[in-house]
Amino acid sequence: MLIREAGILFQGIPIIFTSYHRASKDQTNLICSSGLMSGLLTFAECLMEPVEYFESSKYSIIFKKGKVIDCFGKKQETVAFIVLDKDERLEKYLYKTILPLLEKLLKRFKNQFNGCNLTKMAQFEPFKETLDKLFGTGTQTLEEKVVSLLF
């Protein structure tokens, strides 16, 4: 399973986001695609609860919701997500590996940013290192893994 993208959404806006392997060569609008992802999740949850992932013919998008307290003391919902190439083994790894990783991501985010102003995006930039540490092994193609072993 190749990881394409990972991040955290707050009110449909990607506050932390990293792209490992673009799904297409065309430049996409990050805000629009994140808003669409958030809208789909909200719509699906109106019909059924909980929604853990969406699957298309090429990709799987896995979600994990969490709460963080903002600078005003209000609990705000955040959504950690990961976009993977579609793989028949998704169900096998979903509960053992993927959802626990997203839970760990949310926990680290909450520990670091509880009580912060969530609308100031620049403060989240260093947190991308945490994303890379958590998802780094799944972000390389076979060729990249071989090259990293040689050098």
Side-chain angles (χ1 to χ4, degrees):
M1 286 188 259
L2 184 64
I3 297 173
R4 297 282 178 177
E5 300 171 359
I8 295 179
L9 302 174
F10 170 66
Q11 296 182 351
I13 298 170
I15 56 176
I16 300 166
F17 175 85
T18 189
S19 178
Y20 297 106
H21 298 279
R22 295 297 308 165
S24 68
K25 295 198 183 324
D26 297 335
Q27 196 71 334
T28 58
N29 186 324
L30 177 60
I31 301 295
C32 288
S33 61
S34 298
L36 177 64
M37 192 182 322
S38 181
L40 285 172
L41 182 60
T42 302
F43 173 74
E45 286 181 335
C46 288
L47 301 174
M48 63 193 137
E49 180 106 18
V51 175
E52 294 174 328
Y53 66 93
F54 292 125
E55 204 167 44
S56 73
S57 60
K58 291 184 179 182
Y59 307 106
S60 299
I61 306 170
I62 296 96
F63 302 98
K64 183 70 179 169
K65 287 187 170 187
K67 300 262 185 203
V68 67
I69 297 173
D70 67 9
C71 60
F72 304 108
K74 292 177 68 178
K75 282 189 178 181
Q76 299 287 347
E77 186 175 88
T78 55
V79 178
F81 72 93
I82 187 169
V83 179
L84 306 166
D85 282 348
K86 184 175 178 181
D87 193 317
E88 302 302 322
R89 302 171 297 165
L90 178 63
E91 287 289 327
K92 179 180 177 183
Y93 292 105
L94 183 65
Y95 298 103
K96 287 197 274 185
T97 308
I98 300 169
L99 288 175
L101 275 174
L102 290 175
E103 183 72 37
K104 188 184 242 183
L105 176 66
L106 284 170
K107 185 177 180 181
R108 288 184 182 177
F109 178 78
K110 183 179 178 178
N111 288 340
Q112 189 169 344
F113 296 107
N114 228 13
C116 288
N117 186 343
L118 298 174
T119 60
K120 295 186 178 183
M121 303 301 178
Q123 68 183 330
F124 303 119
E125 194 65 31
F127 196 77
K128 283 186 179 184
E129 290 179 24
T130 302
L131 277 175
D132 290 337
K133 287 178 185 174
L134 285 174
F135 301 118
T137 58
T139 61
Q140 296 178 329
T141 63
L142 179 61
E143 294 82 22
E144 291 170 334
K145 288 178 184 176
V146 170
V147 168
S148 69
L149 291 173
L150 294 175
F151 298 101

